[in-house]
Amino acid sequence: MIRSFAFTTQGRLHSENIELFLMPTLLADTNLFLWVDLENPTSEETKFVLEDVFHFHPLSIEDCVMVTPSPKVEEYQPKEDDRFSQYLFIVIHAVDYSRRDGVFATSELNFFLGKNFLVTYHDVPLRSVQSTSERCLKSSVHIARAPDRVAHTLLDSIVENYKPALEELSFEIAELEDEALQNPNRQTLNRIIQIKKEVFHLRQIIGPQREVLARFARGEFKLIRAHLVPYYRDVYDGLNHISEMAQSYTDSLTGILQVYLNMSSNQTGEVVKLLTLITVITTPIMMIGTWYGMNFDGMPELHWKYGYLAAIAVTAVSTAVTYWYFKRRGWLGK
């Protein structure tokens, strides 16, 4: 699907859903800003827009169409025989977290940012693209006056959409902490390991993304006008804060894992303690039973009239004394 918008330099909508054959004409008009959004396009649509209309470099087109695991930004300067204008190629990942599945889902968003155009490419619907297009059409602040403004709005929206995912994750971690303290079991351990793995995945996404936004925040690119650099720096600060939160979640999960191991160790210790106490308390019974179970003919107690009662009495008294001793020392608990 292709959605397209042409805006004036005042940020007002000039035309929408432009016919494909008209795009080169509007692109040549320096008084207009052209935004083309490709959502799960066909190969024919991709070829026409990226190659025939904008004439982007084949390497950036290849990176756009293929899945790129790491965020990045590359600047393409036209050479003598190139037909494209100067542009930035940007790969950014949006995230979503599902408590039901316990995983972070990532969606790739590709930008081609030029002086008077912006091309976005993504395989699935993205909230950031939808909300930004609505703001461009309805907002009174006219953010669609230039492509670097819209690109900033898209990046800011992507970073903002991290926050609901992190809130879901924080609830999950809080529940895990309670469960580790109150009722630790094998399922608890599996969830701790799974969520820790997902937080590590999140940090792997955020790390390279911070490097990309840091380059915008430092004002490295001429296509980003100087007065907009502080806005990009604000987006970078927001992502940096999210990175710190992810680190704190890692530390929390490490602590919860340690609590789980300690609780499991305590439970094992209580079981061992109980078995040890049972063994010690029943030692007099086993000793006397073993002694008189030898059945030697020369044992005088075997023919004694009160031998059976005496064995019972000695067994009962020694067992009671052992129990009393442990109770007095507090080894049997409260």
Side-chain angles (χ1 to χ4, degrees), residues 143-164:
I143 63 172
R145 283 180 287 178
D148 52 357
R149 284 181 175 272
V150 177
H152 161 264
T153 305
L154 282 167
L155 292 172
D156 185 56
S157 179
I158 288 173
V159 172
E160 284 296 315
N161 286 336
Y162 274 75
K163 295 179 180 178

Side-chain angles (χ1 to χ4, degrees), residues 72-331:
K72 66 177 181 178
V73 56
E74 296 174 344
E75 187 172 17
Y76 283 85
Q77 297 279 0
K79 295 181 180 179
E80 195 172 318
D81 297 330
D82 292 330
R83 299 175 62 189
F84 61 82
S85 305
Q86 179 187 7
Y87 69 92
L88 295 175
F89 174 64
I90 311 160
V91 179
I92 293 292
H93 291 96
V95 300
D96 191 18
Y97 180 71
S98 170
R99 293 187 70 188
R100 182 179 62 185
D101 301 328
V103 296
F104 278 101
T106 58
S107 304
E108 184 176 313
L109 177 61
N110 302 274
F111 295 75
F112 296 88
L113 172 63
K115 188 174 182 180
N116 68 326
F117 64 83
L118 177 67
V119 178
T120 50
Y121 182 102
H122 48 104
D123 292 327
V124 296
L126 295 177
R127 285 180 293 176
S128 55
V129 175
Q130 182 63 34
S131 61
T132 301
S133 63
E134 291 175 357
R135 289 186 62 185
C136 288
L137 296 175
K138 300 177 182 178
S139 176
S140 58
V141 296
H142 303 308
I143 63 172
R145 283 180 287 178
D148 52 357
R149 284 181 175 272
V150 177
H152 161 264
T153 305
L154 282 167
L155 292 172
D156 185 56
S157 179
I158 288 173
V159 172
E160 284 296 315
N161 286 336
Y162 274 75
K163 295 179 180 178
L166 290 172
E167 288 176 2
E168 288 290 317
L169 185 60
S170 67
F171 292 144
E172 188 85 4
I173 292 174
E175 289 180 0
L176 268 180
E177 187 173 9
D178 292 338
E179 188 174 331
L181 288 170
Q182 297 174 6
N183 185 31
N185 51 47
R186 189 71 181 181
Q187 184 179 359
T188 305
L189 177 61
N190 291 337
R191 288 177 63 199
I192 292 173
I193 294 173
Q194 173 64 29
I195 295 178
K196 194 169 185 179
K197 178 180 173 184
E198 289 304 318
V199 173
F200 180 72
H201 179 210
L202 175 64
R203 293 177 63 191
Q204 284 183 313
I205 298 169
I206 292 176
Q209 206 139 283
R210 285 175 60 196
E211 296 178 9
V212 169
L213 290 177
R215 298 184 66 184
F216 285 95
R218 291 193 295 265
E220 288 188 18
F221 307 111
K222 294 181 180 179
L223 287 172
I224 307 299
R225 292 169 296 170
H227 68 280
L228 288 178
V229 170
Y231 294 94
Y232 281 88
R233 191 176 299 128
D234 182 67
V235 177
Y236 169 76
D237 291 340
L239 189 62
N240 193 51
H241 176 65
I242 290 171
S243 178
E244 293 174 354
M245 291 177 64
Q247 176 61 49
S248 70
Y249 289 160
T250 301
D251 296 339
S252 297
L253 287 166
T254 301
I256 293 172
L257 180 59
Q258 190 62 48
V259 168
Y260 170 83
L261 294 175
N262 290 339
M263 294 295 291
S264 298
S265 178
N266 289 340
Q267 288 179 345
T268 303
E270 289 296 322
V271 172
V272 172
K273 177 182 175 182
L274 177 61
L275 294 175
T276 303
L277 289 173
I278 292 173
T279 301
V280 174
I281 290 173
T282 57
T283 296
I285 300 174
M286 291 186 292
M287 288 181 63
I288 296 172
T290 303
W291 183 267
Y292 286 104
M294 292 187 293
N295 295 323
F296 289 124
D297 290 336
M299 295 178 66
E301 293 87 353
L302 292 177
H303 305 288
W304 184 32
K305 179 179 179 181
Y306 301 104
Y308 180 70
L309 295 176
I312 292 177
V314 172
T315 301
V317 170
S318 58
T319 302
V321 169
T322 304
Y323 178 83
W324 171 80
Y325 177 75
F326 286 158
K327 186 73 174 177
R328 184 178 179 184
R329 295 295 298 267
W331 292 353

Side-chain angles (χ1 to χ4, degrees), residues 16-75:
E16 184 178 357
N17 294 326
I18 304 157
E19 294 291 340
L20 296 180
F21 71 91
L22 290 177
M23 285 185 181
T25 303
L26 295 177
L27 183 61
D29 190 342
T30 57
N31 293 318
L32 294 178
F33 152 46
L34 181 62
W35 177 14
V36 181
D37 178 57
L38 301 171
E39 180 182 311
N40 193 23
T42 64
S43 57
E44 292 77 12
E45 291 173 334
T46 301
K47 181 181 184 305
F48 181 81
V49 173
L50 301 185
E51 295 184 21
D52 299 340
V53 176
F54 290 93
H55 309 290
F56 292 134
H57 194 282
L59 287 178
S60 62
I61 294 176
E62 181 181 351
D63 287 342
C64 174
V65 175
M66 302 296 293
V67 175
T68 306
S70 297
K72 66 177 181 178
V73 56
E74 296 174 344
E75 187 172 17

